Amino acid sequence: MQWSELQRDPKSVAALADAGDVRVRRRDGADLLLTREDRIATSGEGAIATVRALRNLLAHVPVETAAAALSEEFPWLGLMPSDAVAQFVAEFIKAARISAELGQWSVLAEMLRGWKSTAMVYADPDLLRQLSGPLNEDLGPVPAPVDGDADAC
């Protein structure tokens, strides 16, 4: 439905939201998704239960087995050494649990982007050699953190 319809007849939009999610299209911004709070709460509970079960399952299998299972979803794990894959498994479980508990899946998405970038480095032997070797030159002073970045240090 269009934004103007929401403004003109909010009660009918609320009735539609009772039946299911409603996408509101806007010309001047990203579409909005209206959904009932109880649906979101139920989804969150399901996500938390799933992640806890996954964590428990992965805790009871050898790291190699967990890595093999996750490699089916993330084939780029095959580019990395086994110790990095083991670290990925641990971080995946932690990030998935945090994401589920907070309802902020961006935590898991960011972790996956970082590891995928790491795999891309392993895929390029020249880049891996450059990034893994010692620095032989002084790259100059490190700039002071910008306001808001102080916590990142």
Side-chain angles (χ1 to χ4, degrees), residues 134-150:
L135 296 176
N136 295 324
E137 59 190 75
D138 184 351
L139 300 176
V142 176
V146 180
D147 286 342
D149 289 346

Side-chain angles (χ1 to χ4, degrees), residues 6-122:
L6 172 61
Q7 291 176 312
R8 190 173 44 253
D9 192 5
K11 287 185 180 184
S12 68
V13 175
L16 288 172
D18 282 337
D21 295 343
V22 177
R23 181 178 313 274
V24 180
R25 290 185 173 75
R26 301 184 302 166
R27 279 186 265 158
D28 60 346
D31 291 352
L32 302 176
L33 186 63
L34 299 178
T35 190
R36 288 183 11 182
E37 184 179 12
D38 60 334
R39 269 195 227 112
I40 296 296
T42 302
S43 295
E45 291 169 10
I48 291 170
T50 300
V51 169
R52 285 180 176 157
L54 176 63
R55 180 200 60 212
N56 291 337
L57 177 67
L58 293 176
H60 290 91
V61 299
V63 173
E64 297 80 19
T65 304
L70 289 173
S71 291
E72 290 181 24
E73 180 63 28
F74 311 109
W76 40 263
L77 288 173
L79 298 170
M80 297 190 295
S82 59
D83 60 329
V85 174
Q87 185 179 354
F88 168 85
V89 171
E91 287 186 26
F92 177 83
I93 295 166
K94 182 178 179 182
R97 184 163 187 223
I98 290 168
S99 292
E101 293 283 342
L102 296 178
Q104 294 293 323
W105 293 100
S106 59
V107 174
L108 180 61
E110 183 62 32
M111 188 279 302
L112 289 171
R113 276 191 296 274
W115 275 104
K116 189 173 184 179
S117 295
T118 300
M120 291 170 69
V121 170
Y122 279 106

